[in-house]
Amino acid sequence: MLYSIYPVESVLEDEGEELNLIEMELERKRILLKQNGTFSFQIERIISTDPNDYMDEGLYPGLSITLM
Amino acid sequence: MTITEEKTMKSIKEMGTPQMPGSNRVNKIQVLTIVGQVEGHMVLPARNKTTKYEHIIPQLVAMEQNRQVEGVLVVLNTVGGDIEAGLAIAEMISSMSKPTLSYVLGGGHSIGVTIAVAAQYSFISKTATMTIHPIRLTGQVLGVPQTYEYLDKMQDRVIGFVTEHSRISQDRFRDLMFQTGELVRDVGTVLVGEDAKKEGLIHEVGGLSQAVSKLEEMMNHAL
């Protein structure tokens, strides 16, 4: 039984689409990427214990990048 | 990346903590982060951010057993979740022999309230909120008295735990839970920072440094 501020039906709602994220190292920093095209990716998350990595403008979540 | 760094990364990704309490060298303060939905017996759809009880419960056991761990800081930013899982985590925190401190950031709603009050001392940030509302049922509901009795029993478990572990009375907590006119098209109350303290749910309003200082003070007294 759920006790949450979100309506139970929206918590249990399944969009049916699974996010297939790719984990990789970029400039010695570990990131999670969502593939949008053959070479096009979007940064979803940074995995790091170094707070400076989160300040790196080139690694902001949501940023689109191209990898060959 | 070294093997240690790799392990740290994996730990953050899977358990939300850089250092598992079971490892040989740990900090004397262990941090337990409870965020998103508290996930219990049922795996929630992938769109939810969840904290899984099968990750939290073994960590709590390890924290209790590991002699290097002297204090536990529970950081909460949760929208609530599974009652059984939330109560299980809350019971475990409240029965630990080491100093425990909870810190509500952003939100500590619904079942998150029980986890927040389970610690020996609690902090809430100025802007954080705690929503107290009745338990709801969805799906096929049988219109029989037993349904309402069951719902009441579940609610009593939550109310009982919260009132036993905080300074709020049962009557006042029920009043807040069934308040009308506070939430839009809903029943309940939202307590913001200072309100949670005034109502006796939380001990103090403050930030991270104050929370850590208080935990250190509790740890020094426990020695």
Side-chain angles (χ1 to χ4, degrees):
Chain A
M1 187 181 262
L2 289 178
Y3 183 34
S4 168
I5 50 167
Y6 283 152
V8 180
E9 51 276 23
S10 76
V11 173
L12 300 179
E13 188 187 34
D14 198 350
E15 286 179 336
E17 183 199 339
E18 225 175 272
L19 270 181
N20 284 319
L21 300 178
I22 303 157
E23 184 179 327
M24 66 170 294
E25 211 167 287
L26 189 70
E27 294 166 17
R28 294 183 56 82
K29 287 156 193 167
R30 190 145 292 219
I31 51 171
L32 282 182
L33 296 169
K34 188 172 88 178
Q35 191 155 14
N36 292 332
T38 316
F39 301 113
S40 157
F41 298 86
Q42 191 176 26
I43 297 176
E44 282 285 323
R45 188 179 162 193
I46 306 162
I47 306 166
S48 175
T49 50
D50 184 354
N52 288 320
D53 290 348
Y54 295 85
M55 304 303 286
D56 187 340
E57 286 179 9
L59 292 177
Y60 276 174
L63 196 75
S64 290
I65 55 169
T66 307
L67 296 173
M68 295 291 184
Chain B
M1 192 175 279
T2 64
I3 295 170
T4 319
E5 282 172 337
E6 194 77 43
K7 274 185 181 170
T8 308
M9 290 297 176
K10 203 174 170 202
S11 184
I12 289 176
K13 235 178 88 181
E14 296 297 328
M15 308 293 199
T17 177
Q19 212 168 29
M20 292 300 289
S23 54
N24 291 333
R25 286 190 61 81
V26 296
N27 289 328
K28 55 184 187 170
I29 293 181
Q30 272 288 307
V31 182
L32 193 69
T33 353
I34 298 178
V35 291
Q37 293 277 356
V38 177
E39 191 179 284
H41 308 306
M42 204 170 59
V43 177
L44 296 177
R47 64 203 293 268
N48 293 280
K49 286 200 169 181
T50 65
T51 298
K52 298 172 195 302
Y53 73 164
E54 66 266 36
H55 286 176
I56 297 295
I57 290 172
Q59 283 191 67
L60 285 167
V61 176
M63 285 174 197
E64 178 63 33
Q65 285 182 315
N66 194 328
R67 288 187 183 167
Q68 288 181 61
V69 177
E70 292 174 26
V72 178
L73 175 66
V74 184
V75 180
L76 284 160
N77 192 355
T78 174
V79 289
D82 187 275
I83 295 185
E84 304 268 313
L87 280 175
I89 294 168
E91 289 280 10
M92 286 190 85
I93 294 171
S94 70
S95 56
M96 285 184 89
S97 64
K98 297 173 181 184
T100 53
L101 187 140
S102 64
Y103 180 33
V104 182
L105 277 165
H109 310 282
S110 316
I111 202 66
V113 176
T114 57
I115 302 172
V117 301
Q120 290 156 18
Y121 203 84
S122 51
F123 267 85
I124 187 166
S125 63
K126 226 176 182 178
T127 54
T129 55
M130 297 177 93
T131 310
I132 298 154
H133 62 93
I135 294 167
R136 306 181 192 101
L137 275 183
T138 51
Q140 190 183 31
V141 178
L142 296 179
V144 292
Q146 287 88 335
T147 305
Y148 300 104
E149 280 164 23
Y150 177 67
L151 203 59
D152 228 23
K153 243 183 214 170
M154 294 300 272
Q155 226 146 241
D156 285 347
R157 289 170 74 188
V158 173
I159 296 170
F161 187 90
V162 172
T163 52
E164 258 174 50
H165 292 86
S166 65
R167 286 155 292 128
I168 195 166
S169 69
Q170 284 224 9
D171 289 342
R172 182 62 187 147
F173 194 74
R174 276 180 199 278
D175 284 349
L176 295 174
M177 197 178 235
F178 300 109
Q179 183 114 287
T180 53
E182 167 100 9
L183 301 178
V184 181
R185 293 196 302 166
D186 208 343
V187 180
T189 310
V190 178
L191 300 173
V192 185
E194 191 65 40
D195 300 334
K197 185 193 164 188
K198 277 184 196 155
E199 293 289 354
L201 280 175
I202 296 291
H203 290 100
E204 222 171 301
V205 178
L208 180 63
S209 61
Q210 287 147 302
V212 171
S213 300
K214 178 66 191 178
L215 184 56
E216 279 172 344
E217 185 193 311
M218 289 161 71
M219 284 154 53
N220 290 336
H221 280 293
L223 288 176

